Amino acid sequence: YSIAKIRKRKEEKWHGRILEQIGIAGTKGEIMRSNEMTTRRAAGENLVIRRLTATGMMAALITLMTAYIFHIPIGGNGGYVHLGDALIYLSAAILPAPYAMAAGAIGGGLADLLTSPVWAPATVVIKMLIVLPFTSKENKIVTVRNVVALFLAFLISGTGYFLAEGLMFGFKAAFFVSLGSSLIQATGSGVVFLIFGIALDRLSFKTRFFPRV
């Protein structure tokens, strides 16, 4: 009887130790998973802050580039040619669409309010729409899709301003002035986008500052 009792106690202790080790391992696993989730959450929050900061900076640069740095008035309807769209393209290739659309709308809208307010409502809508063909999901800025997007952005911008100018000042004059200026503006902005995009890609800009979480 005593031998059986001793054997039973040993078995209970052995089982207890196994359960204790399993509990410790489970606790460690939970701690590791918790730490991993906390790290991911912190990284995500930091990325959102970076994106919001970049959105504000790009909106300010778009305003300056559009209204002052390269600003050539054309026609008699307050229209003008600029290279601010290049920065909208960059925003669209770096930031997710909602952020890039906000940067384009705010930057372009402020530029028009400062120089030619009559165009501001149309600009806000058009600058948001030209973001849509681009993608920011790749690790590079200059991709096949974003190069094709330059042409699509021209079609959107040219059509949008043609309709806006036609509604405000008549479609006959809008056909030549609006589409011609849109072609010049889209071409110049596209070249600037490619130059800056290639330079930033060589520096691994997106993977260093806007990594995919």
Side-chain angles (χ1 to χ4, degrees):
Y1 170 75
S2 60
I3 295 174
K5 191 173 182 180
I6 292 172
R7 185 179 296 173
K8 184 177 180 182
R9 287 181 179 178
K10 287 183 178 180
E11 290 178 353
E12 289 176 352
K13 289 182 179 179
W14 184 71
H15 286 301
R17 288 176 182 176
I18 292 177
L19 292 174
E20 183 180 355
Q21 290 177 358
I22 293 173
I24 293 173
T27 302
K28 288 182 177 179
E30 291 177 0
I31 293 173
M32 290 178 64
R33 286 192 294 271
S34 177
N35 290 338
E36 185 179 354
M37 291 177 62
T38 301
T39 302
R40 288 185 177 181
R41 189 181 300 112
E45 291 175 354
N46 289 336
L47 185 59
V48 170
I49 293 173
R50 286 186 185 182
R51 286 172 174 172
L52 290 172
T53 302
T55 300
M57 291 178 61
M58 292 304 291
L61 291 173
I62 291 166
T63 301
L64 292 174
M65 178 70 83
T66 303
Y68 301 112
I69 297 177
F70 192 93
H71 181 99
I72 302 176
I74 59 169
N77 299 325
Y80 56 92
V81 173
H82 61 86
L83 295 181
D85 284 359
L87 298 180
I88 298 179
Y89 302 159
L90 282 173
S91 299
I94 295 172
L95 300 169
Y99 296 90
M101 292 173 75
I106 294 170
L110 285 175
D112 274 357
L113 289 175
L114 292 169
T115 58
S116 185
V118 68
W119 292 99
T123 291
V124 168
V125 176
I126 292 169
K127 299 312 180 189
M128 287 193 294
L129 293 178
I130 64 174
V131 167
L132 298 179
F134 293 84
T135 179
S136 63
K137 295 181 180 180
E138 302 295 334
N139 289 326
K140 290 188 176 182
I141 295 172
V142 180
T143 62
V144 173
R145 173 170 169 174
N146 287 342
V147 172
V148 174
L150 295 173
F151 176 72
L152 298 178
F154 157 67
L155 293 180
I156 294 171
S157 181
T159 303
Y161 280 113
F162 168 71
L163 293 174
E165 187 166 0
L167 292 172
M168 290 188 292
F169 306 107
F171 286 96
K172 185 177 181 179
F175 181 79
F176 296 100
V177 177
S178 181
L179 293 182
S181 62
S182 293
L183 178 60
I184 296 171
Q185 182 171 301
T187 302
S189 294
V191 171
V192 173
F193 165 78
L194 292 174
I195 293 173
F196 277 92
I198 292 172
L200 292 172
D201 283 340
R202 288 181 178 177
L203 298 173
S204 300
F205 176 82
K206 287 193 68 176
T207 54
R208 291 174 62 185
F209 298 100
F210 296 94
R212 298 173 64 182
V213 179

